Amino acid sequence: MSYQVLARKWRPQRFDDVIGQRGVTQTLRNAIATRRIAQSFVFSGPRGVGKTTTARILARGLSCLNGPTADPCGECEPCVEIAQGRDMDVIEIDAATNTGIDQVREVIIDGLGIRPARNRYKIFIIDEVHRLSKPAFDALLKSVEEPPAHVVFMMATTEIDKVPATIQSRSQVFELKLIGVKQIADQLRTICAAENIQIEEAAVTLVARAGDGSMRDAQSALDQVIAFAGT
């Protein structure tokens, strides 16, 4: 079996697993519990703090056969397929490579009227949404303003100032923060213990600091340390 990098292997699968963003995850939990689910979300923040991961967990919660639930089972077909990136009703778009109006129309707008094949919702997760062109944003706006009842938009961005105010005002905007060194270090210890990796405490702290507030960057740095040490 090929090696799976730590950032992917340890990607959170539940809201409780998301480190350092309790305000965001608790609000989403409450929204699901009370069935007050918006149809457009924007997750903003630095790289590697859990924006797209949070969107995927929310998508699983809305699609789980036991749901909608804030605690997706992780075992039903929607949960498994969303985690693997192959659920036909959860469409992930990288706006960095699909910036134009033609791509937005083809991937999103033209399919809005088609009901989900299996799940409750058709969910569009748009990563790096700030990279869309102005014509693409203009085309997307109408869909965000008046989406069909079965459609939910989830957008992630590291540059919220480049997302038009018209999109933000029609969405629930969540700001994810940089993660503290202690929280990152605690998670790195958990990973090392589970992976049977021996590492000195001083090294854990150095790696956590190297992450500069990003859990993903810290996990990538830990991968490099492990490779260097030949563990």
Side-chain angles (χ1 to χ4, degrees):
M1 181 181 295
S2 61
Y3 178 71
Q4 190 174 35
V5 298
L6 294 176
R8 178 168 294 183
K9 184 175 182 179
W10 285 84
R11 177 177 289 157
Q13 300 298 321
R14 303 177 304 157
F15 285 129
D16 288 348
D17 298 332
V18 179
I19 306 295
Q21 312 296 346
R22 181 168 175 76
V24 172
T25 57
Q26 187 59 53
T27 301
L28 293 173
R29 277 184 161 279
N30 294 344
I32 295 174
T34 59
R35 299 297 190 266
R36 299 176 67 86
I37 301 165
Q39 286 191 265
S40 181
F41 298 85
V42 175
F43 298 101
S44 167
R47 72 175 189 273
V49 296
K51 300 181 299 298
T52 306
T53 291
T54 299
R56 288 173 180 156
I57 295 171
L58 177 58
R60 292 175 76 187
L62 297 181
S63 305
C64 179
L65 294 183
N66 296 330
T69 174
D71 295 295
C73 70
E75 298 177 354
C76 66
E77 282 189 345
C79 281
V80 171
E81 291 181 6
I82 292 170
Q84 295 176 347
R86 58 184 182 88
D87 189 295
M88 66 181 68
D89 291 324
V90 178
I91 299 96
E92 293 198 30
I93 303 131
D94 178 12
T97 55
N98 295 278
T99 63
I101 186 172
D102 290 340
Q103 291 98 329
V104 169
R105 282 177 175 160
E106 179 182 353
V107 179
I108 300 176
I109 297 173
D110 289 349
L112 287 180
I114 302 173
R115 296 194 60 82
R118 176 191 59 202
N119 302 346
R120 297 178 190 86
Y121 299 97
K122 177 173 284 188
I123 297 172
F124 295 91
I125 299 177
I126 310 175
D127 203 12
E128 299 295 329
V129 68
H130 61 273
R131 299 287 294 275
L132 290 179
S133 66
K134 185 180 185 303
F137 267 127
D138 290 342
L140 181 63
L141 176 60
K142 181 65 174 177
S143 301
V144 172
E145 280 184 318
E146 300 176 2
H150 60 266
V151 169
V152 177
F153 291 101
M154 302 180 189
M155 296 168 267
T157 178
T158 55
E159 300 183 48
I160 189 66
D161 57 307
K162 293 184 179 179
V163 178
T166 49
I167 295 286
Q168 294 188 48
S169 67
R170 290 161 175 80
S171 308
Q172 286 192 359
V173 180
F174 292 90
E175 183 178 355
L176 283 74
K177 308 290 187 181
L178 289 170
I179 305 169
V181 171
K182 183 181 184 303
Q183 291 174 301
I184 293 176
D186 288 345
Q187 179 66 359
L188 295 182
R189 291 188 195 95
T190 298
I191 292 172
C192 288
E195 299 288 335
N196 197 27
I197 296 167
Q198 302 296 320
I199 185 170
E200 294 182 2
E201 184 61 29
V204 172
T205 301
L206 285 173
V207 173
R209 287 176 177 165
D212 199 23
S214 165
M215 182 65 73
R216 186 176 64 220
D217 286 0
Q219 290 169 334
S220 296
L222 179 60
D223 256 326
Q224 288 182 290
V225 169
I226 294 168
F228 178 78
T231 302

